[in-house]
Amino acid sequence: PDNLPAPAAGQPVEFKRLETSNRAQCWHQNGKFLGFIINIEPFFKAKSIQQVDQYAEALKSAIHHECEHIKNPGSDYQGNGVGPAVQYMSNPGEIQAHAREMARAYAKHFPNQPFDINKAKQLLSLPNFNNTHRNYFDKLADPNISKQHGLQQNPYDLVIQAVNQLLPQYQG
């Protein structure tokens, strides 16, 4: 708690077995951070030490993502299809949180190297990344998607910019 900003210190962190694909979740009410839920269910389903290690790494990544949401609340994905996905992915808190996950993984796999999107794409097959990450760092590179959905700025450009800003926090 001493390392967390004042509004976050003392808020609950719950470790629960949840039947959901969410690894971790941060919650807010009226813009105020209220705590985390960490899903430990996959540890109970692991059949090998490699699966435990993979889930532990994915969980570390998710915790960095959720910690970013302490100061940058995200959005809930509402609905199905490309439109709701692009709206969710254009939320500034989600851009920052997904960029933080990539910056952490990139620094771990490519220590002290400047960000290179081609190297970053190599990481997208790791268990700590999902389709949302693959969309940010690949599919949203098409500027037509942003135009089709009336966005002023392309989430791809914003997430790349955010990774470059966050990467020094994980290097050296």
Side-chain angles (χ1 to χ4, degrees):
D2 295 338
N3 295 328
L4 293 173
Q11 296 299 337
V13 176
E14 297 180 47
F15 294 85
K16 292 185 173 184
R17 292 181 72 174
L18 304 171
E19 292 292 330
T20 176
S21 62
N22 290 346
R23 298 171 297 193
Q25 190 172 0
C26 175
W27 71 92
H28 291 81
Q29 186 173 39
N30 299 324
K32 183 180 180 209
F33 171 71
L34 297 179
F36 295 110
I37 295 176
I38 310 293
N39 186 0
I40 59 172
E41 178 64 22
F43 286 115
F44 293 91
K45 292 182 176 179
K47 295 185 180 356
S48 68
I49 193 66
Q50 290 82 10
Q51 286 181 334
V52 169
D53 289 344
Q54 286 177 341
Y55 183 69
E57 184 59 29
L59 188 57
K60 289 176 195 175
S61 182
I63 290 171
H64 280 256
H65 175 111
E66 298 303 335
C67 283
E68 181 65 37
H69 284 318
I70 292 172
K71 68 177 185 172
N72 290 306
S75 174
D76 288 329
Y77 178 68
Q78 301 288 326
N80 293 314
V82 175
V86 171
Q87 290 305 312
Y88 164 78
M89 294 175 71
S90 65
N91 176 281
E94 293 304 331
I95 289 169
Q96 283 294 121
H98 285 91
R100 182 165 294 285
E101 285 183 89
M102 177 56 80
R104 178 186 172 276
Y106 193 91
K108 181 178 179 179
H109 291 274
F110 304 106
N112 298 313
Q113 294 183 29
F115 186 72
D116 177 324
I117 188 61
N118 293 316
K119 290 179 181 177
K121 285 181 181 181
Q122 295 172 21
L123 302 176
L124 295 175
S125 63
L126 296 173
N128 47 310
F129 292 114
N130 59 30
N131 282 335
T132 302
H133 299 94
R134 288 183 274 284
N135 288 335
Y136 268 120
F137 294 99
D138 191 19
K139 292 187 178 166
L140 285 177
D142 179 354
N144 291 321
I145 293 175
S146 295
K147 290 177 188 171
Q148 289 170 353
H149 297 280
L151 299 177
Q152 298 297 316
Q153 291 186 289
N154 187 331
Y156 171 83
D157 295 333
L158 295 172
V159 80
I160 298 297
Q161 181 182 24
V163 170
N164 278 303
Q165 290 171 345
L166 294 167
L167 192 56
Q169 294 178 14
Y170 293 97
Q171 293 178 325

